[in-house]
Amino acid sequence: MPKVGRNDPCPCGSGKKYKNCCQSVASQPAEARSAAFDPAQIHIAKARNYEELHRFDKAIGSYRTALSINPDLASAHFNLGRALLLCGQYGDARESFRRFLSFSPGYAQAHHFLGAAFEALGQFAEAVDSYRRALELEPTFLPSRFSLVRTLNKVVPLWHVSMTNDANRNDAYFAALRSVVTPQAKVFEIGTGSGLLSMMAAQLGAGQVTTCEAEPLVAATAKQIIADNGFEKKIKVIAKRSTEVVLKSDLPQPAEILIQEVFSSELLAEGVLSSVEDAKRRLLAPGCKMIPAAASIMVALFGGEEIGRNLFLEDVRGLDLRRFNTIVPRMQTVLRNDLDVVLLSEEVEAFKFDFERDSAWHAEEKILQLQVKRPGRCQGILQWIRLYFGGDVVFENHPNVKTSATSWPPCAYLNPLPTSVAQNQIATVFASHDKMLPWFSLRSVE
């Protein structure tokens, strides 16, 4: 091949002079120089130079040019995928790592990066599979270990375990199902979770049980659990949100019993009202039994030294730290079930939602008047939920009831600073909800 001068056109076809383009190839190791005028390798060399300069956008272009010349350069697919990840082009990164793995399926790091692309795209079930595959190939690869934990926390928060182990909750659902399930009953459940409630309905002899779950990984796992327990022929699992379920194709017939537990500690945050509204319009038979039939948001003023030390800062070793409270979230979930909570006022039903009677709900605002029953330092308003299952079956996560596993811990809506209250005073509380979240704030105490 004739010698190329510094001012000659670059052999890579870029149109630039050699000195301004690929001259750096000459300084590469001997094995790279031997391929210096392989056009694909020249573009790969340029991509690596761009990477050293942290110009990943430019590196992407060079890797793509190299692969347009030779699509079988496995390492180029891998390096292109990394550059795409760094530039936030997650869909293209996913495809690059998939292509690389078609050449080298046993490379753990590629499975890890593929998992990262899936995770960034919100495809959590696929991300979990990729991280697990990386760990099968390299069990000590800590990036995949940590990424797997992070992704599973997004998909299956740990409250799933304590909620499913809540004996009082389970007893209430079972009692309600036992009172309405018949061999002809057509049951539909919103929110499969572990599959427990659907299996209860099947255990009690329901003729047809269909359950839906929005998270694909949870739905797939529930389907396996249902099969483990011998109910695979009785229960159909649909990996969809209830609002995406189609009558006839997904749900054979309108349901006569609706089971739903899409409740949060605030009752509303998981979209229970919109889910029930949609189901009543499209998926339920007239007169469908609802389990639970109704639900309430309960509130009371609260105090107590133990709980206060976990929610507020005041004086510590003679130093005033009160200003830190201005950046502490004013709404917190009370996770310390072992601490004594003192209810200072009467317990009031702030909002009630009758799932059987009503078919639509709207945002609300109101003023509550709570009589102080016990003097003390009021930390704020404590909120919990009450579920009505029909008859005398009621579930309530009352803050004074200690349980080893709880479904929904109470929530605290904090005052800016603790406020002293005296017996028989009347506390004025502003209460509101927007169908997704409630809010409570103490206006005055007189």
Side-chain angles (χ1 to χ4, degrees):
M1 177 175 292
K3 183 177 179 181
V4 180
R6 295 180 72 252
N7 293 310
D8 290 338
C10 185
C12 74
S14 68
K16 298 179 181 179
K17 292 181 180 180
Y18 178 51
K19 67 179 180 180
N20 297 324
C21 192
C22 295
Q23 187 179 17
S24 59
V25 172
S27 63
Q28 294 177 9
E31 63 270 19
R33 292 199 303 271
S34 67
F37 297 112
D38 176 335
Q41 292 297 335
I42 289 172
H43 286 289
I44 287 174
K46 290 174 66 177
R48 289 172 177 163
N49 289 337
Y50 283 131
E51 286 181 327
E52 289 180 4
L53 297 171
H54 294 273
R55 293 298 308 274
F56 299 107
D57 54 336
K58 293 286 190 181
I60 287 169
S62 294
Y63 281 128
R64 281 179 166 157
T65 301
L67 288 167
S68 70
I69 298 168
N70 184 355
D72 294 332
L73 292 171
S75 62
H77 287 290
F78 180 85
N79 291 325
L80 172 60
R82 286 197 309 176
L84 288 163
L85 270 183
L86 290 166
C87 290
Q89 298 181 42
Y90 303 118
D92 288 347
R94 175 190 60 195
E95 299 313 309
S96 289
F97 290 120
R98 279 174 165 169
R99 188 64 191 273
F100 171 80
L101 288 166
S102 70
F103 295 102
S104 302
Y107 190 40
Q109 197 171 33
H111 286 284
H112 172 80
F113 284 132
L114 178 59
F118 278 130
E119 184 183 351
L121 290 165
Q123 295 176 274
F124 299 127
E126 292 86 350
V128 167
D129 286 343
S130 294
Y131 292 139
R132 283 177 170 164
R133 180 60 181 145
L135 290 167
E136 287 172 6
L137 292 166
E138 195 173 327
T140 60
F141 189 55
L142 287 182
S144 285
R145 185 69 64 191
F146 295 139
S147 296
L148 178 59
V149 169
R150 182 183 63 240
T151 306
L152 287 173
N153 277 331
K154 293 177 183 176
V155 177
V156 193
L158 288 180
W159 53 255
H160 276 274
V161 174
S162 57
M163 182 186 73
T164 308
N165 279 324
D166 188 329
N168 293 331
R169 180 206 78 129
N170 297 340
D171 290 346
Y173 272 97
F174 188 81
L177 284 166
R178 185 170 52 195
S179 68
V180 296
V181 166
T182 67
Q184 293 77 39
K186 302 173 184 65
V187 178
F188 178 52
E189 180 192 19
I190 298 176
T192 309
S194 66
L196 175 63
L197 300 183
S198 281
M199 290 191 289
M200 284 183 184
Q203 257 184 340
L204 290 165
Q208 173 186 303
V209 181
T210 306
T211 178
C212 66
E213 170 58 53
E215 176 48 57
L217 178 62
V218 175
T221 304
K223 193 170 184 179
Q224 294 172 333
I225 292 169
I226 287 165
D228 291 341
N229 288 276
F231 291 113
E232 67 272 22
K233 293 182 179 178
K234 289 189 174 184
I235 301 172
K236 179 182 179 182
V237 180
I238 305 168
K240 290 182 178 180
R241 295 185 182 277
S242 64
T243 53
E244 298 169 350
V245 170
V246 178
L247 193 62
K248 294 186 178 179
S249 61
D250 292 322
L251 184 66
Q253 295 173 290
E256 299 162 341
I257 299 171
L258 176 71
I259 312 170
Q260 44 93 7
E261 58 166 358
V262 283
F263 301 119
S264 64
S265 290
E266 312 90 344
L267 187 71
L268 305 178
E270 291 188 27
V272 59
L273 296 184
S274 59
S275 296
V276 173
E277 286 173 342
D278 174 75
K280 284 195 141 189
R281 282 196 304 268
R282 304 186 305 109
L283 305 174
L284 308 184
C288 177
K289 300 299 293 182
M290 311 289 285
I291 299 177
S296 294
I297 298 176
M298 306 296 298
V299 296
L301 303 186
F302 82 99
E305 289 187 15
E306 285 191 348
I307 192 68
R309 284 195 293 271
N310 282 267
L311 298 174
F312 284 97
L313 276 173
E314 294 189 67
D315 293 336
V316 178
R317 298 187 66 84
L319 301 172
D320 183 354
L321 303 181
R322 287 173 177 82
R323 189 176 297 277
F324 198 83
N325 296 313
T326 63
I327 60 173
V328 171
R330 293 285 293 279
M331 194 280 279
Q332 297 186 33
T333 303
V334 181
L335 299 174
R336 292 290 304 275
N337 187 249
D338 60 313
L339 300 179
D340 286 333
V341 176
V342 179
L343 298 187
L344 300 175
S345 76
E346 60 185 325
E347 301 171 15
V348 172
E349 182 181 74
F351 300 104
K352 185 172 182 179
F353 307 93
D354 191 322
F355 301 129
E356 289 197 339
R357 185 191 67 190
D358 300 329
S359 297
W361 294 271
H362 305 282
E364 297 178 78
E365 291 184 359
K366 62 173 67 172
I367 297 295
L368 305 175
Q369 303 288 334
L370 282 67
Q371 184 178 19
V372 176
K373 296 293 187 181
R374 181 173 179 172
R377 299 179 76 232
C378 175
Q379 315 283 359
I381 296 119
L382 200 65
Q383 173 257 305
W384 63 99
I385 67 176
R386 181 183 289 169
L387 307 180
Y388 303 88
F389 289 90
D392 60 354
V393 181
V394 176
F395 171 85
E396 187 171 9
N397 63 327
H398 196 283
N400 290 151
V401 176
K402 307 297 184 186
T403 58
S404 59
T406 182
S407 303
W408 302 283
C411 295
Y413 299 79
L414 303 179
N415 297 336
L417 284 172
T419 302
S420 294
V421 297
Q423 191 165 358
N424 294 325
Q425 283 188 308
I426 300 298
T428 299
V429 172
F430 173 75
S432 65
H433 75 81
D434 62 358
K435 293 182 62 175
M436 283 298 294
L437 281 173
W439 190 263
F440 303 94
S441 57
L442 182 63
R443 288 282 179 88
S444 63
V445 182
E446 297 176 353

